[in-house]
């Protein structure tokens, strides 16, 4: 190769790299703009965003009912905020949507749970609100499911319809350890998850060091009241090394998410209780877990999955799903 040709080749490569870098910056900028405009962080200016605020609040109340002995008057501020949202005209007009119905149900359940025990909550939740919310409903106040360890896994080896309908997030573990032999079988199934071009960017850290587990949940805070009995924890990560194009910048989350679902099913199949737990944090917090688990810089935490043997009796949230017409749009 002549010297001028070598120089030309280097220039061409350099130009390509600059072009890719500009494309990466532009794509993150557009992502950033869209997230700014359409996420719930800065403005609550669409019905979807209001519905999301409602889901967030009713789900936190729903979780308050899971404890064996309810801490009465829990989530006062959440109740006040949710009541305000549920009385909005646009929300009332959409009261048939599954998630709005679920919110009314949880609010009614909250009221009856307190009035049955003669706990006065009128200072923040008046009876008139209860009457209003119950009028919006066809009187079904259930917002938690009572489960028993003996029957919870009854459908875990049945056909997929019954299997998948029987899985739910459970948080009440005994603290007993699941054998590593079983964990290996779980991973054998979990890794059948598809990934882009079969690149398999996912790795799982399986943590059995209780000190580290406690430190992780002290940061994560999403399993308050349940983490004491967590003795084993999966931390699912995706490795950025496996992505080649700017357009793939979110692919690590997709492959990671698919893997997590497969992992949850594999755990259910082997009769192991689990609850996915978010890792929706800023980069500073990412550094903390990376240090705790000695992770590579290229790895991004996708999700935590605490696992364990279910306690004899436990409660799970109703987590009512949307109706098909809310999520299925047919294009013919
Ligand atoms: C990515 C992700 C993060 C979650 N984070 C938490 C969490 O931090 N704490 C918790 O108690 N539940 C958490 N959950 C469980 C959800 O509340 C639960 O999946 C949802 O209500 C649906 O209920 P189901 O899993 O019982 O079907 C999480 C679920 C997912 C998928």
């Amino acid at each position: 190769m002549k010297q001028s040709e070598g120089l030309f080749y280097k220039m061409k490569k350099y130009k390509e790299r600059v072009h890719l870098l500009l494309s990466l910056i532009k794509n993150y900028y557009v992502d950033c703009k869209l997230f700014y405009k359409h996420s719930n962080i800065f403005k609550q200016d669409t019905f979807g965003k209001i519905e999301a605020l409602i889901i967030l609040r009713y789900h936190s109340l729903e979780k308050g009912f899971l404890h064996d002995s309810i801490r009465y008057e829990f989530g006062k501020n959440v109740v006040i905020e949710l009541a305000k949202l549920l009385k909005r005209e646009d929300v009332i007009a959409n009261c048939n949507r599954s998630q709005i119905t679920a919110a009314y149900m949880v609010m009614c359940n909250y009221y009856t749970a307190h009035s049955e025990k003669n706990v006065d909550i009128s200072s923040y939740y008046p009876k008139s609100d209860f009457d209003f919310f119950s009028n919006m409903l066809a009187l079904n106040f259930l917002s938690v499911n009572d489960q028993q360890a003996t029957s919870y896994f009854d459908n875990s080896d049945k056909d997929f319809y019954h299997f998948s309908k029987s899985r739910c997030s459970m948080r009440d573990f005994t603290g007993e350890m699941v054998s590593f032999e079983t964990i290996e079988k779980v991973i054998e199934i979990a890794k059948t998850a598809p990934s882009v071009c079969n690149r398999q960017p996912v790795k799982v850290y399986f943590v059995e060091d209780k000190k580290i587990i406690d430190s992780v949940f002290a940061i994560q805070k999403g399993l308050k009241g349940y983490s004491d009995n967590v003795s084993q924890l999966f931390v699912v990560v995706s490795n950025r090394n496996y992505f080649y194009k700017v357009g793939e910048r979110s692919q690590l989350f997709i492959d990671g998410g698919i893997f997590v679902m497969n992992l949850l099913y594999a755990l259910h199949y082997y009769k192991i209780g689990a609850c996915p737990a978010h890792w929706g944090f800023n980069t500073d917090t990412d550094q903390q877990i990376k240090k705790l688990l000695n992770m590579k810089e290229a790895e991004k935490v996708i999700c935590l999955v605490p696992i364990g043997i279910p306690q004899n009796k436990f409660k799970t949230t109703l987590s009512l799903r949307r109706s098909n017409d809310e999520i299925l749009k047919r294009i013919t």
Side-chain angles (χ1 to χ4, degrees), residues 32-183:
C32 171
K33 241 174 66 176
L34 291 174
F35 206 71
Y36 170 79
K37 189 170 168 196
H38 298 291
S39 76
N40 224 316
I41 305 176
F42 300 99
K43 282 186 223 154
Q44 284 78 44
D45 53 353
T46 65
F47 180 74
K49 293 183 187 182
I50 298 300
E51 190 180 54
L53 294 178
I54 289 172
I55 295 172
L56 197 70
R57 282 163 181 74
Y58 93 66
H59 186 59
S60 100
L61 292 180
E62 197 178 32
K63 275 166 60 179
F65 284 112
L66 296 181
H67 299 279
D68 269 345
S69 48
I70 298 176
R71 201 170 43 82
Y72 288 98
E73 298 182 70
F74 67 91
K76 243 183 210 180
N77 289 334
V78 177
V79 170
I80 295 168
E81 286 167 13
L82 185 54
K84 254 192 226 156
L85 289 165
L86 291 178
K87 286 187 274 181
R88 285 172 59 116
E89 268 178 34
D90 52 351
V91 173
I92 294 167
N94 281 285
C95 66
N96 289 334
R97 285 178 69 83
S98 60
Q99 299 309 295
I100 307 299
T101 304
Y104 285 129
M105 277 166 60
V106 171
M107 283 297 266
C108 289
N109 199 21
Y110 186 96
Y111 191 89
T112 43
H114 285 82
S115 63
E116 272 167 12
K117 295 281 175 195
N118 294 321
V119 180
D120 182 11
I121 54 171
S122 56
S123 63
Y124 64 97
Y125 188 166
K127 172 141 191 330
S128 53
D129 277 7
F130 169 72
D131 291 340
F132 176 78
F133 300 144
S134 46
N135 272 340
M136 306 298 294
L137 285 174
L139 296 177
N140 175 7
F141 291 171
L142 201 68
S143 65
V144 289
N145 286 320
D146 287 306
Q147 308 267 10
Q148 302 213 346
T150 46
S151 53
Y152 175 61
F153 293 113
D154 277 357
N155 286 333
S156 69
D157 57 357
K158 298 283 186 307
D159 60 275
F160 191 69
Y161 179 86
H162 292 97
F163 167 81
S164 59
K165 291 243 172 199
S166 69
R167 182 218 60 83
C168 57
S169 297
M170 54 90 37
R171 302 159 178 86
D172 300 272
F173 305 110
T174 59
E176 284 166 81
M177 305 288 273
V178 176
S179 76
F180 194 65
E181 206 187 351
T182 311
I183 295 301

Side-chain angles (χ1 to χ4, degrees), residues 59 63 167-169 171 220 222-223 275-278 303 319 321:
H59 186 59
K63 275 166 60 179
R167 182 218 60 83
C168 57
S169 297
R171 302 159 178 86
Q220 198 263 359
L223 236 78
C275 177
H278 78 87
C303 194
S319 292
R321 296 305 203 258

Side-chain angles (χ1 to χ4, degrees), residues 1 12 170 186 244:
M1 198 189 280
K12 196 173 152 227
M170 54 90 37
V186 165
Y244 307 96

Side-chain angles (χ1 to χ4, degrees), residues 306-322:
I307 65 155
I309 310 293
Q311 289 178 13
N312 286 341
K313 284 186 176 177
F314 58 97
K315 292 190 172 86
T316 54
T317 55
L318 193 62
S319 292
L320 194 73
R321 296 305 203 258
R322 293 187 191 278

